[in-house]
Structures are given as C-alpha cells and as structure tokens.
Amino acid sequence: EPEVTQTPSHQVTQMGQEVILRCVPISNHLYFYWYRQILGQKVEFLVSFYNNEISEKSEIFDDQFSVERPDGSNFTLKIRSTKLEDSAMYFCASSGLTGAPPQYFGPGTRLLVL
Amino acid sequence: RKEVEQDPGPFNVPEGATVAFNCTYSNSASQSFFWYRQDCRKEPKLLMSVYSSGNEDGRFTAQLNRASQYISLLIRDSKLSDSATYLCALYGSGNTGKLIFGQGTTLQVKP
C-alpha cells in the first residue's frame, strides 16, 4: 500500500536555528498538507498546497514558516528561526486527484527545540 | 464554541463492551465528516467517513445528526486492539482540504 514518508523521524535543534522537515507524499497525489500536534493537544492544520502554491494557511503559519515542492517527489516545511513553542509532532499529509478524502498522513517528525 | 468538540475521556471499558463517542461541531454548513484513529505518538489514520445516511464498517458505525450538529461513533464488541484515541474531523470552509480536528476521545479497552 502506498504511504507518505517523512524524514527525519526526530529532530532536536537549538532555539533560533532553521529546520527543514521533509515529506514524500503518495506519488499520484496532488494535494499536500502540513499539520502539527503539540504534546497532549489536538492536531492543528498549518498549510495546504496545490499546484505549486499555498491554497490555505492557518494563523500558526506565520513568516517563520515556508513550504516548498523542490522536485516532483519531495514536499518540505521550513521553520526559519525555531522557537521553544515550535516543539511538536509535525505531520505531512496528501490526498488524491480531487483533494477528496482520505488524507493519508505520514508518520510524523518529532521536533524538539531547546 | 469550539469548531469541533469531543469528550477527551478516557473511556475505560471491558472487552466485548459497546461504546459510543459523540463529537459536536459549530459550523452548520459543514458537509464532510470523518473519524480518525490515533495510536500513541503515531499519525492519525482514517477510520471512516461519515455519511448523511450513516454508515457501518464491521463493528464500527458512524452517524451524523445535522439538526443537533453532532456525529457519533459506535464500537461494538470492543477489542483490546481498539484502545486508541479517536479523532473527529471535518473539512474547513474554503474547499482546500483543510481538516479541523477535535481533541480526541481516548478509549481504553481492558481484559
């Protein structure tokens, strides 16, 4: 069964450093998403991406965040200058041609900012 | 009122029990609803979509009540492996595929 993959599985960084989280969506999917989940809290939408541009972003997704699809397979989330409160699990998701459900989630990257 | 609300639980039930969770939503225009399952420190996995007419998949039944703005998930004959957090989700407005999740309801099935 096709799956979304994410690297790294864990990342520890110092406050103020830049991090790039990587995702490989399912190959024939066209809609891509990033979500985050702070420990003990709900899954929160960050951004949706279609046709090489952001289609929607949340209030969380401020100027410190950016997304990119640098080639035909990868989808990245960059946090330019990490803050302590960016510590969370970051999930990438993708969905098929129509953007209809289901959205398939990757296993996540656990980010810890010290 | 929160967009999506769930009772966090935990619901502690014996094996074989029937258990039901509700999830309320605030936007009456919401059209698409889902139940996801999340195991500890893992990604959400789609359990089932919720259709207007209700739908069933094995031991799992999902219902939608538009008048009262809630969806429900019923699990019959609970198994130990059903222990997880069950997330209610719906599509946000704007047709971008954005999912709005509830806090989740934790189920613990005990032998």
Side-chain angles (χ1 to χ4, degrees):
Chain A
E1 185 179 305
E3 58 183 22
V4 177
T5 60
Q6 290 186 243
T7 54
S9 58
H10 295 77
Q11 174 119 26
V12 181
T13 190
Q14 295 290 325
M15 192 170 58
Q17 295 296 303
E18 175 184 285
V19 294
I20 297 176
L21 310 183
R22 291 183 166 79
C23 168
V24 179
I26 293 172
S27 63
N28 63 345
H29 283 185
L30 298 178
Y31 296 79
F32 313 114
Y33 313 88
W34 284 101
Y35 295 83
R36 79 169 186 191
Q37 186 175 31
I38 295 171
L39 189 63
Q41 297 188 24
K42 65 179 182 178
V43 177
E44 299 175 288
F45 169 81
L46 291 177
V47 65
S48 58
F49 191 86
Y50 169 71
N51 201 24
N52 280 319
E53 60 183 28
I54 291 173
S55 46
E56 185 173 358
K57 60 183 181 180
S58 71
E59 291 177 357
I60 302 167
F61 195 90
D62 61 23
D63 292 343
Q64 294 300 315
F65 290 86
S66 61
V67 289
E68 198 177 34
R69 188 152 161 82
D71 52 44
S73 58
N74 289 286
F75 179 51
T76 62
L77 174 69
K78 182 193 289 186
I79 309 174
R80 202 179 341 270
S81 178
T82 49
K83 303 189 279 287
L84 295 176
E85 54 264 37
D86 293 327
S87 296
M89 182 75 104
Y90 288 81
F91 294 109
C92 173
S94 69
S95 60
L97 297 174
T98 63
Q103 283 183 27
Y104 292 92
F105 283 74
T109 293
R110 185 166 296 281
L111 176 66
L112 178 60
V113 182
L114 301 175
Chain B
R1 184 177 174 185
K2 291 181 184 175
E3 287 184 283
V4 182
E5 279 197 84
Q6 296 182 253
D7 178 350
F11 284 57
N12 294 303
V13 302
E15 264 186 297
T18 295
V19 62
F21 312 130
N22 283 344
C23 165
T24 58
Y25 59 94
S26 60
N27 185 355
S28 59
S30 297
Q31 294 291 322
S32 301
F33 307 89
F34 312 96
W35 284 104
Y36 278 79
R37 171 191 169 128
Q38 186 175 32
D39 292 292
C40 188
R41 296 176 180 268
K42 301 281 191 179
E43 74 273 25
K45 291 189 176 177
L46 182 68
L47 184 63
M48 53 201 308
S49 302
V50 187
Y51 304 123
S52 296
S53 55
N55 46 305
E56 189 173 307
D57 183 4
R59 298 181 293 109
F60 298 85
T61 300
Q63 298 277 358
L64 167 62
N65 184 318
R66 284 197 187 277
S68 300
Q69 293 182 211
Y70 73 87
I71 66 171
S72 63
L73 177 68
L74 180 80
I75 307 175
R76 288 181 299 278
D77 188 22
S78 301
K79 312 286 185 197
L80 296 176
S81 56
D82 294 333
S83 298
T85 298
Y86 291 84
L87 311 179
C88 165
L90 51 82
Y91 273 152
S93 58
N95 202 32
T96 60
K98 163 187 171 181
L99 281 173
I100 301 170
F101 285 89
Q103 178 93 10
T105 297
T106 298
L107 171 66
Q108 194 64 246
V109 181
K110 301 203 179 287

